[in-house]
C-alpha cells in the first residue's frame, strides 16, 4: 500500500493492518511527544496515545474526515490528556501540565475576545450553510448522532448523509482556513 | 464565571459544561507547554512498544466479545447492595440441626488483613523465575517469537511478533500463591485469563498447530479469543474443556471434592476420556469427580454471582458449611485452619468483600455461635460447647 494515500483513504482501506500501521507511523511521534511533555513519563504518554489510536480505529467507519486526520487525533488526545491530568490531580499526583499552573493562568480580554470571535466565526459559517446541510452538520457534530440515526431522522439515505456531511465540512474548512488553524479544531 | 479550583474547572470542561472563558483558560493552559523540548527517550523503542500494545488491544477487540457489561453490572449491583446495608454482610442465615444459640464472648484477639498485593511468579521456559510484582512495566523477556510484557494495570501480556513458527514451542508457567490477589494474563492469541489465588497455569508462549492447549491447577476464568480452526483446550488431570471462543470459569482445587466448569457465554465441551464429551450451555455447570470415570454431571440454574465472586472481589457463600468456607479463607488469607471438636453441619449464606480483615468474614459464622481463635497465621475453629 503506497504511503502517499490520504488519511481518508487509509481509514477505509480493506487491508486494515497495513492501513493502521501507515497511519500510526504518520502520527504517533507528534502525539507521543505532546503527551510526554504534558504527563511527564513514558507509561502515561503511551497510555493516552494508545487510547487515541484505539478509539480512532474502533470508530473508523463512523468518522467523517476531509483529507487529514490531524484535527481529529489532536482533539482526541487533548481530551485524553486532560482527563488523565484530572484523574491524577484528584489523587494528588502532579504532572508537568499542572493544576497549579491552571489555577494561575489568566485569559486576557483580547484572548477571550479572539476565542469568542473564532467561535462566532465558526457559528456564522455553520449558519450560512444551506438548511439541509446545516441540519446534518448539527445532528452529527452537536448532537453526536451516528450517520444511520441522522439518515433515519431526516428520512435520507446513509450515503446522502455522508456526502452532505463531507461537503459541509469541506465548505467550512475552506471558509475558515483564512482565519486560524484553531478554527479547524472547533468544527 | 471564574472557577478558582483547577480540579473543578477541569471537571466542568470535561463534561462539556464550560463557558467560553473557562474553555479558553483550559486550552491556553493545555498549549502552554513547549512541544519542541528535548526528550531523553529511545524513540525507536517507544515506537515499537506502543505499536505492539495498541495493535494487541485492537486484535483482542476483534476476537473477544467484551465482558464489561455483565462484570460491570454485577460489581455495581453488589456494591450498591452492600452500601445499602451499610455493613459488611448482607444476610446471615443458618440452617440445620441444633439451633440453640448461646451468647459467646468474641475470641478474636488478633486479626489478619486481606492480601494487599500480588505475589504472582512467572516461570520462563529455561526455568528462570520472575517475581512479577517487583518487575517494572514494559517488555521484560523474549520467549521464542513472543515478547512478554507487564502492562500498566499489572497484567502480563504475550505478544507474538511475526508469523514465522518458532523452532520449539516454549512453555511458561504463571503461579498465584496463597495470600495473593488474582492475576490477569493475556495470551499470545488474545485470550484473557484471570488466575485465582492458589492456582497456576502452564501455556505455550505462542500458539501453533491445530489446537491451543493450556493446563491449570486451581481456579481460573477464561475469555477465549475466537478461532474456529484452533480449538482452545483447558486441561486438568483427565479433564479437558474444549472451546472455540467463549467465557467460562474452571474450578479445580485439589482440596475440593469436584472439578467445576461454569459457562457464562458461548458453548464448551467437557470430557474426561471415559465418555462422550458433555456440551454445556450458558448458565450451566459441569462437575467431574477427579479420579472417577463417567462422573460428569451437568447442573442447571447456577448462581453466576457466586461462581464469579472471586473475580469481582467478593466472598459469596451460598449455603456452605464451615469447612467449605474455611477452605476459601485458607487460600485468600494464607492461613492454616485447625478444628477443635466437630464444626457441625450448619449452613451459612452471606456476602463479604474480600478486602476485609478475616474477622469480618468469620462474623458470618460467629453469629451462629461458632468461635474462632486466631494466632499468627493459624485459625482454630472451636466447636460450640453443648
Amino acid at each position: 500500500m503506497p504511503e502517499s494515500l490520504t488519511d481518508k483513504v487509509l481509514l477505509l482501506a480493506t487491508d486494515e493492518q497495513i492501513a493502521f500501521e501507515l497511519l500510526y507511523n504518520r502520527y504517533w511521534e507528534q502525539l507521543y511527544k505532546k503527551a510526554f511533555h504534558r504527563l511527564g513519563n513514558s507509561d502515561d504518554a503511551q497510555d493516552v496515545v494508545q487510547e487515541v489510536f484505539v478509539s480512532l480505529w474502533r470508530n473508523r467507519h463512523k468518522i467523517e474526515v476531509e483529507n487529514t486526520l490531524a484535527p481529529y487525533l489532536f482533539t482526541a488526545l487533548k481530551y485524553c490528556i486532560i482527563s488523565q491530568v484530572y484523574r491524577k490531580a484528584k489523587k494528588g499526583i502532579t504532572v508537568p501540565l499542572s493544576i497549579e499552573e491552571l489555577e494561575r493562568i489568566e485569559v486576557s480580554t483580547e484572548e477571550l475576545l479572539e476565542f469568542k470571535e473564532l467561535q462566532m466565526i465558526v457559528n456564522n459559517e455553520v449558519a450560512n450553510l444551506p438548511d439541509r446541510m446545516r441540519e446534518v452538520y448539527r445532528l452529527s457534530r452537536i448532537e453526536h448522532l451516528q450517520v444511520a440515526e441522522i439518515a433515519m431522522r431526516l428520512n435520507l439515505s446513509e450515503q446522502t448523509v455522508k456526502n452532505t456531511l463531507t461537503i459541509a465540512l469541506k465548505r467550512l474548512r475552506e471558509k475558515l482556513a483564512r482565519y486560524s488553524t484553531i478554527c479547524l479544531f472547533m468544527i | 464565571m471564574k472557577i478558582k479550583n483547577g480540579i473543578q474547572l477541569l471537571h466542568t470542561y470535561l463534561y462539556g459544561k464550560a463557558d467560553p472563558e473557562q474553555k479558553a483558560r483550559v486550552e491556553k493552559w493545555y498549549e502552554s507547554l513547549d512541544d519542541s523540548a528535548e526528550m531523553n527517550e529511545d524513540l525507536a523503542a517507544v515506537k515499537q512498544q506502543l505499536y505492539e500494545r495498541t495493535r494487541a488491544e485492537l486484535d483482542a477487540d476483534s476476537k473477544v466479545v467484551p465482558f464489561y457489561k455483565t462484570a460491570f453490572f454485577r460489581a455495581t449491583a453488589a456494591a450498591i447492595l452492600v452500601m445499602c446495608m451499610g455493613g459488611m454482610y448482607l444476610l446471615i442465615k443458618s440452617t440445620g440441626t441444633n439451633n440453640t444459640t448461646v451468647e459467646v464472648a468474641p475470641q478474636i484477639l488478633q486479626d489478619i488483613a486481606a492480601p494487599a498485593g500480588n505475589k504472582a511468579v512467572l516461570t520462563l521456559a529455561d526455568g528462570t523465575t520472575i517475581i512479577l510484582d517487583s518487575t517494572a512495566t514494559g517488555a521484560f523477556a523474549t520467549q521464542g517469537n513472543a515478547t512478554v510484557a507487564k502492562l500498566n494495570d499489572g497484567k502480563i501480556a504475550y505478544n507474538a511478533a511475526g508469523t514465522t513458527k518458532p523452532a520449539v514451542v516454549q512453555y511458561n508457567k504463571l503461579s498465584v500463591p496463597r495470600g495473593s490477589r488474582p492475576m490477569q494474563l493475556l495470551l499470545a492469541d488474545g485470550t484473557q485469563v484471570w488466575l485465582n489465588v492458589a492456582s497456576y497455569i502452564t501455556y505455550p508462549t505462542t500458539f501453533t498447530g491445530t489446537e491451543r492447549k493450556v493446563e491449570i491447577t486451581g481456579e481460573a476464568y477464561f475469555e477465549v479469543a475466537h478461532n474456529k480452526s484452533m480449538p482452545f483446550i483447558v486441561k486438568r488431570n483427565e479433564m479437558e474443556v474444549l472451546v472455540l471462543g467463549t467465557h467460562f470459569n474452571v474450578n479445580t482445587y485439589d482440596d475440593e471434592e469436584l472439578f467445576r466448569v461454569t459457562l457464562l457465554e458461548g458453548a464448551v465441551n467437557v470430557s474426561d476420556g471415559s465418555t462422550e464429551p458433555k456440551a454445556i450451555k450458558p448458565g450451566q455447570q459441569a462437575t467431574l469427580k477427579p479420579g472417577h470415570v463417567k462422573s460428569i454431571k451437568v447442573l442447571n440454574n447456577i448462581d453466576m454471582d457466586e461462581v464469579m465472586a472471586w473475580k469481582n472481589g467478593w466472598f459469596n457463600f451460598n449455603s456452605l458449611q464451615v469447612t467449605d468456607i474455611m477452605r476459601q479463607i485458607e487460600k485468600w488469607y494464607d492461613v492454616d485452619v485447625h478444628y477443635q471438636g466437630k464444626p457441625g453441619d450448619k449452613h451459612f449464606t452471606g456476602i463479604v468483600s474480600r478486602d476485609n480483615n478475616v474477622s469480618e468474614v468469620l462474623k458470618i459464622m460467629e453469629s451462629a455461635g461458632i468461635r474462632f481463635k486466631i494466632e499468627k497465621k493459624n485459625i482454630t475453629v472451636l466447636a460450640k460447647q453443648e
Side-chain angles (χ1 to χ4, degrees):
Chain A
M1 204 178 293
E3 299 210 358
S4 58
L5 292 176
T6 63
D7 290 357
K8 187 180 180 162
V9 173
L10 288 177
L11 213 49
L12 301 171
T14 44
D15 197 339
E16 70 98 18
Q17 294 257 356
I18 300 174
F20 177 78
E21 197 174 337
L22 285 174
L23 280 174
Y24 175 85
N25 290 343
R26 226 167 254 185
Y27 291 109
W28 85 272
E29 193 170 342
Q30 281 169 282
L31 294 169
Y32 176 75
K33 281 185 172 166
K34 225 171 163 67
F36 187 93
H37 286 128
R38 281 159 184 74
L39 298 173
N41 71 74
S42 183
D43 277 346
D44 289 337
Q46 289 195 37
D47 274 352
V48 292
V49 177
Q50 178 173 350
E51 202 178 330
V52 167
F53 275 116
V54 166
S55 113
L56 168 76
W57 217 234
R58 281 185 183 151
N59 295 310
R60 67 185 183 279
H61 297 296
K62 301 176 203 152
I63 298 168
E64 295 294 327
V65 276
E66 217 18 57
N67 290 315
T68 169
L69 272 172
Y72 176 92
L73 290 172
F74 285 101
T75 308
L77 182 77
K78 183 174 73 189
Y79 278 97
C80 287
I81 289 177
I82 292 179
S83 44
Q84 176 86 267
V85 173
Y86 169 71
R87 284 197 299 270
K88 284 194 184 288
K90 282 211 299 188
K91 290 189 207 156
I93 304 168
T94 307
V95 296
L97 185 65
S98 75
I99 295 288
E100 290 74 37
E101 181 60 26
L102 174 63
E103 286 170 354
R104 258 197 305 274
I105 220 151
E106 293 285 341
V107 179
S108 66
T109 322
E110 293 91 69
E111 281 171 326
L112 186 57
L113 273 178
E114 196 185 337
F115 189 86
K116 279 186 177 164
E117 197 182 333
L118 289 174
Q119 257 189 346
M120 215 163 64
I121 293 166
V122 174
N123 291 343
N124 275 344
E125 292 302 340
V126 171
N128 282 336
L129 293 172
D131 289 351
R132 169 65 54 82
M133 216 180 263
R134 188 174 63 239
E135 189 56 14
V136 171
Y137 175 87
R138 197 184 63 79
L139 291 174
S140 163
R141 294 298 134 132
I142 318 267
E143 296 200 16
H144 302 289
L145 295 185
Q146 309 284 335
V147 168
E149 285 175 282
I150 301 174
M152 212 143 65
R153 273 210 202 182
L154 301 180
N155 200 17
L156 297 169
S157 78
E158 287 188 28
Q159 196 53 50
T160 308
V161 172
K162 278 189 189 167
N163 294 345
T164 311
L165 202 51
T166 311
I167 298 167
L169 289 173
K170 196 171 174 207
R171 274 181 65 152
L172 288 174
R173 279 186 208 293
E174 282 167 2
K175 301 257 185 201
L176 297 172
R178 60 199 151 100
Y179 293 102
S180 150
T181 49
I182 299 173
C183 280
L184 300 181
F185 289 86
M186 292 181 176
I187 63 173
Chain B
M1 186 181 62
K2 182 113 180 162
I3 299 181
K4 273 262 164 63
N5 183 320
I7 294 178
Q8 210 180 326
L9 175 55
L10 288 188
H11 184 269
T12 308
Y13 178 87
L14 289 168
Y15 283 82
K17 301 251 189 310
D19 62 31
E21 193 260 332
Q22 293 167 340
K23 261 193 196 163
R25 254 177 87 197
V26 173
E27 308 216 331
K28 184 180 173 187
W29 165 71
Y30 178 78
E31 292 298 346
S32 66
L33 283 120
D34 181 10
D35 286 327
S36 61
E38 271 300 306
M39 297 196 306
N40 255 339
E41 285 275 288
D42 179 358
L43 281 178
V46 172
K47 180 182 179 184
Q48 182 67 14
Q49 189 188 8
L50 180 55
Y51 177 78
E52 280 168 8
R53 45 185 276 190
T54 308
R55 196 64 249 182
E57 188 178 350
L58 289 170
D59 290 343
D61 238 22
S62 56
K63 290 174 191 160
V64 184
V65 186
F67 170 74
Y68 304 98
K69 287 179 191 161
T70 53
F72 178 74
F73 283 118
R74 285 215 189 97
T76 316
I80 290 170
L81 268 174
V82 168
M83 284 189 286
C84 289
M85 303 302 289
M88 295 308 149
Y89 45 94
L90 305 176
L91 169 68
I92 298 170
K93 187 172 73 188
S94 77
T95 50
T97 54
N98 269 338
N99 250 335
T100 45
T101 323
V102 188
E103 279 296 319
V104 245
Q107 286 292 307
I108 294 165
L109 303 169
Q110 287 179 300
D111 210 345
I112 298 166
N118 193 286
K119 296 179 184 163
V121 177
L122 180 68
T123 311
L124 299 178
D126 65 357
T128 315
T129 55
I130 297 169
I131 312 286
L132 294 167
D133 197 38
S134 52
T135 305
T137 51
F140 61 84
T142 307
Q143 295 284 287
N145 283 347
T147 13
V148 196
K150 178 173 168 180
L151 307 186
N152 286 327
D153 54 7
K155 188 195 294 177
I156 297 304
Y158 286 75
N159 199 340
T163 47
T164 49
K165 286 187 182 176
V168 191
V169 177
Q170 294 193 307
Y171 289 87
N172 283 185
K173 175 172 151 184
L174 181 66
S175 318
V176 178
R178 294 199 336 182
S180 164
R181 291 188 166 266
M183 184 73 192
Q184 216 183 322
L185 171 69
L186 179 65
L187 295 173
D189 67 336
T191 292
Q192 305 219 51
V193 185
W194 282 255
L195 195 60
N196 199 355
V197 62
S199 306
Y200 61 83
I201 179 169
T202 312
Y203 49 90
T205 57
T206 45
F207 293 96
T208 54
T210 54
E211 58 178 36
R212 297 171 282 167
K213 197 177 214 166
V214 304
E215 285 197 47
I216 71 153
T217 295
E219 183 164 35
Y221 169 73
F222 290 87
E223 289 184 8
V224 172
H226 201 82
N227 185 346
K228 257 197 179 136
S229 52
M230 259 172 105
F232 194 94
I233 297 168
V234 180
K235 186 172 155 53
R236 168 69 157 115
N237 294 359
E238 72 273 31
M239 179 179 81
E240 288 201 342
V241 184
L242 183 131
V243 305
L244 295 174
T246 188
H247 301 174
F248 60 100
N249 191 72
V250 181
N251 182 325
T252 65
Y253 284 116
D254 278 322
D255 57 0
E256 297 289 334
E257 192 191 355
L258 300 170
F259 290 166
R260 296 173 191 274
V261 178
T262 314
L263 189 62
L264 282 81
E265 280 185 44
V268 303
N269 287 331
V270 181
S271 66
D272 64 357
S274 69
T275 45
E276 286 289 298
K278 287 237 165 56
I280 57 171
K281 295 190 201 110
Q284 291 185 327
Q285 181 177 77
T287 65
L288 181 153
K289 202 164 189 169
H292 291 67
V293 292
K294 298 184 181 172
S295 66
I296 303 176
K297 290 198 179 97
V298 177
L299 309 175
N300 285 310
N301 301 322
I302 298 301
D303 178 357
M304 289 301 162
D305 287 336
E306 187 191 349
V307 174
M308 297 315 301
W310 69 269
K311 182 174 164 285
N312 298 327
W314 302 97
F315 283 113
N316 184 333
F317 307 129
N318 189 356
S319 191
L320 295 186
Q321 296 194 4
V322 174
T323 45
D324 298 328
I325 294 176
M326 295 314 290
R327 280 201 303 278
Q328 297 195 31
I329 288 180
E330 275 188 313
K331 296 184 183 91
W332 182 246
Y333 294 97
D334 189 16
V335 294
D336 291 323
V337 174
H338 312 276
Y339 294 92
Q340 196 173 308
K342 286 197 171 155
D345 56 0
K346 279 196 171 130
H347 287 71
F348 298 91
T349 297
I351 300 178
V352 191
S353 163
R354 291 171 89 95
D355 288 334
N356 281 309
N357 287 352
V358 74
S359 61
E360 290 296 338
V361 186
L362 298 177
K363 272 184 190 165
I364 287 183
M365 293 168 284
E366 284 192 307
S367 62
I370 295 182
R371 291 178 299 152
F372 301 91
K373 198 164 78 187
I374 303 178
E375 284 166 316
K376 288 185 180 146
K377 286 275 180 183
N378 293 286
I379 299 178
T380 308
V381 183
L382 306 166
K384 200 172 60 184
Q385 279 144 10
E386 298 298 329

